[in-house]
Amino acid sequence: MVKKIGSLVVLLALILAIPAHAASLRLVDVLPDVTFANNNAMCSVEIYADRTNDRISATMELWQGTQRIGTWNDSDSGYLFMEESVRVEANKIYKLVVNYSINGVSKNPVTIYRSNG
Amino acid sequence: MITEEMLREAAHKASEVYTAYCERDYDPENQYVFPQEFEKKIERLKHRATHPVFYKTMHRVASIILSILITGSAWITVDAEARAAVVGWVKEIYETYFVFRHDRITNTATESADYRPTWLPDGYSEFRVSATEARTVVIYANDAGEMIRFNYIHNPDETDWFIDVSQSDIKNATVNGNEADLLIVQNSDEANGIAWVSADTAFYVTGFVDENDLVRIAESVQEI
């Protein structure tokens, strides 16, 4: 009986903890960018969370059509800045996708398009 | 039998009677003067009748301009990038984000201005400043470790700034005459935010303060 009540309490705590944790994710802002110089693309993203101890993890991917040109991961607390360079072709449209999570909770990915030429 | 000649004579007499009736109060010394507006209208009609080609061409030119305006307006309404190219900063809602978009229309030779709020709630002081080419972030903190984050983006290049509003109520506000969006969380333990655009710069302030203080901070922002 005690085990059953204990299990229920743990389950209830988990159920309550999920929305409480998710609810603490407020007003995150994301600034992705791709700039081109010659045949190089400089991909960057800045992510700010609300608190200095919010754990931010992100994956940045650069796509040209269906081909993935590059993928990079990083994580930090409170603020995350990633900047990576990769060789690209002229006169093509590139897509930068940023998948990220705050304190382990995934957020909707952010996508931008930029043209090289 | 009534002949055609008789009918004509009768019509002539009737015409004379009608003319005499109409002219019964006619005074040659005191003729009716038409209003100036009427005269102008008649002049315009005469002008139009004597220059038909000119008026037809003007009609066609007006139709083409109207078509361009309608097509352009529809395009700008539908395409956010086109809108951004015309009006600078554009805010749109994409999934759970406010997206502030900006296209390259600013004169890149123009130097970016620096801004700071001139009012903050008691106890806050500047904690950290981070400035890149595009963005400036100033963080203020109080003794309790609560922060107010003042951000602005002045990048003259193409910019997409995503603000996650999935957990917020969005309210309209005004900051020094500019439309603003208050992002309010109904929980005093969480940060609220305010976003607005002014002087070709997008501003965003978040902090553990209520909406009145957010608006007050926003309205106090000045170029330094």
Side-chain angles (χ1 to χ4, degrees):
Chain A
M1 185 65 183
V2 174
K3 275 186 181 175
K4 277 184 181 173
I5 291 171
S7 306
L8 276 171
V9 168
V10 169
L11 189 66
L12 194 65
L14 280 172
I15 290 167
L16 290 173
I18 291 167
H21 190 61
S24 70
L25 307 174
R26 310 289 192 204
L27 303 179
V28 175
D29 69 276
V30 184
L31 184 65
D33 200 12
V34 182
T35 55
F36 299 96
N38 302 320
N39 282 337
N40 280 313
M42 183 66 78
C43 308
S44 66
V45 65
E46 275 184 86
I47 303 174
Y48 270 94
D50 266 351
R51 295 179 171 85
T52 51
N53 57 358
D54 281 336
R55 192 68 187 162
I56 307 167
S57 300
T59 302
M60 194 168 63
E61 294 176 345
L62 187 70
W63 293 78
Q64 195 272 300
T66 54
Q67 188 187 357
R68 191 167 61 188
I69 311 293
T71 179
W72 307 274
N73 301 294
D74 205 351
S75 61
D76 210 334
S77 294
Y79 166 69
L80 174 65
F81 177 66
M82 295 171 70
E83 189 173 53
E84 300 289 347
S85 174
V86 65
R87 200 156 179 79
V88 292
E89 293 172 45
N91 302 314
K92 301 269 184 185
I93 293 172
Y94 290 89
K95 177 172 79 169
L96 183 74
V97 182
V98 180
N99 287 285
Y100 69 103
S101 65
I102 311 287
N103 298 328
V105 178
S106 293
K107 307 292 285 181
N108 279 337
V110 157
T111 304
I112 61 164
Y113 294 85
R114 295 288 187 270
S115 172
N116 181 19
Chain B
M1 181 182 169
I2 299 172
T3 62
E4 200 173 306
E5 187 61 34
M6 289 163 76
L7 279 173
R8 198 170 284 134
E9 202 173 318
H12 183 68
K13 273 184 185 168
S15 165
E16 278 180 346
V17 169
Y18 181 70
T19 308
Y21 177 77
C22 288
E23 289 178 346
R24 68 191 186 285
D25 296 326
Y26 176 66
D27 178 6
E29 298 297 318
N30 189 18
Q31 289 194 29
Y32 178 72
V33 179
F34 289 100
Q36 218 163 8
E37 275 183 24
F38 178 79
E39 295 284 2
K40 277 183 186 168
K41 267 186 187 172
I42 295 297
E43 279 303 312
R44 277 204 293 270
L45 276 173
K46 273 167 70 180
H47 194 266
R48 188 169 284 199
T50 48
H51 301 87
V53 178
F54 173 76
Y55 279 92
K56 242 181 193 174
T57 311
M58 290 298 282
H59 265 140
R60 281 185 188 159
V61 169
S63 306
I64 290 166
I65 291 171
L66 192 64
S67 305
I68 291 169
L69 279 174
I70 291 169
T71 311
S73 305
W75 183 33
I76 285 167
T77 306
V78 172
D79 187 340
E81 284 184 12
R83 201 159 61 243
V86 174
V87 297
W89 284 102
V90 167
K91 180 196 73 190
E92 60 177 11
I93 292 174
Y94 171 72
E95 293 182 346
T96 56
Y97 295 100
F98 258 6
V99 188
F100 283 93
R101 292 190 196 281
H102 190 277
D103 212 335
R104 199 175 309 173
I105 58 153
T106 313
N107 178 7
T108 50
T110 307
E111 283 207 10
S112 305
D114 280 328
Y115 299 91
R116 291 290 184 277
T118 55
W119 181 86
L120 289 170
D122 288 341
Y124 282 89
S125 58
E126 198 169 290
F127 172 67
R128 188 161 70 94
V129 179
S130 148
T132 61
E133 192 185 345
R135 172 184 188 158
T136 300
V137 181
V138 186
I139 295 173
Y140 303 90
N142 63 11
D143 291 340
E146 293 173 326
M147 292 192 300
I148 291 172
R149 185 156 50 90
F150 170 65
N151 309 254
Y152 61 94
I153 292 186
H154 43 72
N155 191 1
D157 293 331
E158 204 172 353
T159 302
D160 302 81
W161 189 12
F162 294 76
I163 296 171
D164 181 19
V165 294
S166 57
Q167 312 282 335
S168 318
D169 290 337
I170 301 164
K171 290 183 177 179
N172 295 325
T174 308
V175 173
N176 297 326
N178 299 298
E179 281 181 20
D181 293 290
L182 276 163
L183 313 173
I184 300 300
V185 179
Q186 302 303 334
N187 180 349
S188 58
D189 294 337
E190 304 295 348
N192 296 316
I194 186 167
W196 74 102
V197 172
S198 172
D200 208 31
T201 302
F203 295 90
Y204 178 43
V205 178
T206 65
F208 293 82
V209 290
D210 65 25
E211 57 185 87
N212 292 330
D213 280 353
L214 275 174
V215 171
R216 195 167 168 194
I217 294 168
E219 289 195 323
S220 78
V221 170
Q222 285 182 8
E223 195 177 329
I224 56 169

